[in-house]
Amino acid sequence: MIDEVKVCVDAKVKFFELYFEVPNSLQGEVDAFIRETTELGENCSSAAEFEEKFVSTGLSDRFNGIIPKCHPKSVKMTKEQKRHSVETAKEILKENRKELAKNALTESANRVFNDIRDEQISQSRERMLEEGTMADYTIARNRAENVRGLFRFLKNKKK
């Protein structure tokens, strides 16, 4: 196999070994994929030809179909990767700081509003229980729901 083709084949074949744990139920399919990819690489005279045939023979689709069925391996990050990750996170936060602040304020306001509304509902319920009007309220609400349900039923029947 030509060196430039071997690089392409190894990239596809070793991908599973390096980044994924293949379940036992899928091992046969992965082995067949590796075997067919290696055979294709042995029959190609250039990397471009290999990549073209990899797509046209459907191996690319099989490769993309196998990946979601495998479990990613956890990998320890190097110091350089960690530094890059932190820099990227800072950059993302810096770019989106206005939107993040706006979302945080909106979330806080919604939480306060919901707490106030829930407290008012609770107080209203307690007041109705004390006044003895809770049963009347429940009966009236159930009647209104029954009427709405009847109209929905008739509307659906009409369709």
Side-chain angles (χ1 to χ4, degrees), residues 21-35:
E21 293 175 11
V22 179
N24 292 336
S25 60
L26 197 62
Q27 190 62 49
E29 187 176 345
V30 171
D31 291 340
F33 169 79
I34 290 171
R35 187 176 52 257

Side-chain angles (χ1 to χ4, degrees), residues 108-145:
S108 297
N110 286 342
R111 186 169 283 167
V112 168
F113 174 77
N114 288 339
D115 289 345
I116 290 171
R117 185 192 66 210
D118 291 346
E119 182 62 30
Q120 288 175 342
I121 290 171
S122 176
Q123 289 174 357
S124 175
R125 178 174 286 250
E126 286 177 20
R127 188 176 57 252
M128 289 170 74
L129 286 172
E130 289 172 1
E131 294 172 356
T133 58
M134 186 66 174
D136 296 335
Y137 166 76
T138 304
I139 291 168
R141 187 185 74 212
N142 289 345
R143 285 182 181 158
E145 286 179 10

Side-chain angles (χ1 to χ4, degrees), residues 84-97:
H84 178 70
S85 178
V86 168
E87 289 172 6
T88 303
K90 285 180 182 178
E91 193 175 302
I92 290 170
L93 290 173
K94 188 175 183 179
E95 289 175 3
N96 298 323
R97 67 179 175 257

Side-chain angles (χ1 to χ4, degrees), residues 31-50:
D31 291 340
F33 169 79
I34 290 171
R35 187 176 52 257
E36 290 175 32
T37 303
T38 305
E39 288 174 8
L40 178 65
E42 290 171 353
N43 295 325
C44 292
S45 59
S46 70
E49 179 187 0
F50 170 78

Side-chain angles (χ1 to χ4, degrees), residues 64-108:
N64 291 329
I66 293 172
I67 290 173
K69 298 175 187 174
C70 297
H71 307 289
K73 286 183 180 178
S74 60
V75 179
K76 273 221 175 239
M77 293 174 73
T78 63
K79 289 182 182 181
E80 183 178 310
Q81 289 171 328
K82 287 179 184 178
R83 186 171 23 90
H84 178 70
S85 178
V86 168
E87 289 172 6
T88 303
K90 285 180 182 178
E91 193 175 302
I92 290 170
L93 290 173
K94 188 175 183 179
E95 289 175 3
N96 298 323
R97 67 179 175 257
K98 288 181 183 177
E99 186 178 329
L100 291 171
K102 182 178 142 186
N103 289 344
L105 287 173
T106 302
E107 181 67 31
S108 297

Side-chain angles (χ1 to χ4, degrees), residues 135-156:
D136 296 335
Y137 166 76
T138 304
I139 291 168
R141 187 185 74 212
N142 289 345
R143 285 182 181 158
E145 286 179 10
N146 289 341
V147 169
R148 272 190 237 120
L150 178 63
F151 282 121
R152 260 188 254 121
F153 173 76
L154 293 173
K155 181 180 173 184
N156 290 337

